[in-house]
Amino acid sequence: MTGRFGGKVAVVTGAAQGIGRTVAERLFAEGAEVVLVDRAELVHEVSGGLISGGRKAHGVTADLEHHAGAEEAMTEAVERHGGIDVVVNGVGGTIWAKPYQHYPPEQIEAEVRRSLFPTLWSCRAALPHLIAQGGGTIVNISSVATRGINRVPYAAAKGGVNAITTALALEAAPHGVRVVATAPGGTDAPPRRVPRGPGAQDDQERAWYQQVVDQTVGSSLLKRYGTLAEQAAAIAFLASDEASYITGSVLPVAGGDVG
């Protein structure tokens, strides 16, 4: 599908690692001018490796848990490329895994800040630009963990991402803007170079995390984790003109687990 995004400008958030990075690389390979956004400086190393036929990707460091960071990132993309056609909101991810009664209040708030607000702010920052140019596509990355164990705050945040997707699609459609989402299941990825949190620290925390893994695999009809390429393929499809009659939908990409 080389050239599917030729002439388009795509902003991918959470692009330093994982699904976000793989999506950015795929959209770039398919012809997009790509702006990679992340709060980790690693994003500049990743963007610096994307060069093809005179095209270069552009990295932006921004903290998308705050509106100012999202606004700065979208403004920089518009000023650099003249507009935005696609926004992929990939910031998020479980920080801790434990039964809800073991979460202290500060961890609950941190989970919601990490996995809800970056999408909320990035949609708000990008939408005026998309409306002004008469169209575009927002792809939010949610999760099937809205029905999952040991991640209630994260599940709540991703439920919010689903609500953003369906509600904003109604408002944005008259302006030619599509809003869609994928809901990934468990996904194999290399070890994170910038961790989200401290990770499991003792036998109990490791056991709680293993319960998440077991439930994730058990809920998948295919009984396995997905790959980064499988997640990126679904996101790229929804972002492309091939999905021009799809909006307001959340597509599970989880081996049959619908969340």
Side-chain angles (χ1 to χ4, degrees):
M1 302 302 296
T2 301
R4 185 163 54 167
F5 293 94
K8 294 184 180 293
V9 177
V11 177
V12 181
T13 75
Q17 303 178 91
I19 294 174
R21 174 176 179 167
T22 306
V23 170
E25 292 171 342
R26 174 150 189 167
L27 299 186
F28 184 84
E30 294 194 33
E33 301 289 337
V34 181
V35 178
L36 294 81
V37 185
D38 203 288
R39 66 181 179 185
E41 292 293 332
L42 176 61
V43 74
H44 297 290
E45 177 184 322
V46 175
S47 63
L50 297 180
I51 302 173
S52 176
R55 290 185 302 121
K56 295 182 179 180
H58 177 59
V60 176
T61 50
D63 185 353
L64 302 179
E65 291 182 12
H66 304 279
H67 178 258
E71 186 71 29
E72 290 166 6
M74 299 302 167
T75 298
E76 184 167 344
V78 170
E79 290 178 348
R80 190 176 188 89
H81 296 283
I84 301 171
D85 299 292
V86 173
V87 177
V88 178
N89 289 315
V91 176
T94 306
I95 305 173
W96 297 278
K98 63 184 76 176
Y100 191 45
Q101 68 269 24
H102 292 283
Y103 275 90
E106 61 272 16
Q107 289 184 358
I108 294 170
E109 291 183 3
E111 292 277 12
V112 173
R113 285 198 307 272
R114 182 61 175 164
S115 291
L116 176 62
F117 277 94
T119 297
L120 198 64
W121 292 137
S122 294
C123 286
R124 175 62 183 83
L127 191 61
H129 300 292
L130 300 178
I131 290 173
Q133 69 190 25
T137 303
I138 296 172
V139 184
N140 297 323
I141 301 180
S142 180
S143 174
V144 294
T146 49
R147 186 181 66 185
I149 63 170
N150 297 351
R151 291 170 290 175
V152 167
Y154 173 71
K158 288 303 189 179
V161 170
N162 292 346
I164 293 167
T165 301
T166 55
L168 185 56
L170 288 170
E171 292 187 13
H175 302 284
V177 177
R178 294 190 301 114
V179 186
V180 290
T182 64
T187 304
D188 281 322
R192 292 181 62 84
R193 292 174 59 182
V194 181
R196 295 192 189 100
Q201 300 296 300
D202 57 30
D203 289 344
Q204 179 60 83
E205 290 173 332
R206 284 188 286 273
W208 284 334
Y209 185 77
Q210 186 60 45
Q211 289 174 352
V212 171
V213 174
D214 293 344
Q215 187 249 317
T216 298
V217 174
S219 296
S220 168
L221 300 184
L222 299 181
K223 303 305 179 190
R224 66 172 176 86
Y225 269 36
T227 67
L228 292 173
E230 287 172 325
Q231 298 298 340
I235 293 163
F237 165 67
L238 287 178
S240 75
D241 291 341
E242 293 176 275
S244 58
Y245 197 51
I246 301 173
T247 194
S249 297
V250 180
L251 173 66
V253 188
D257 182 5
V258 297

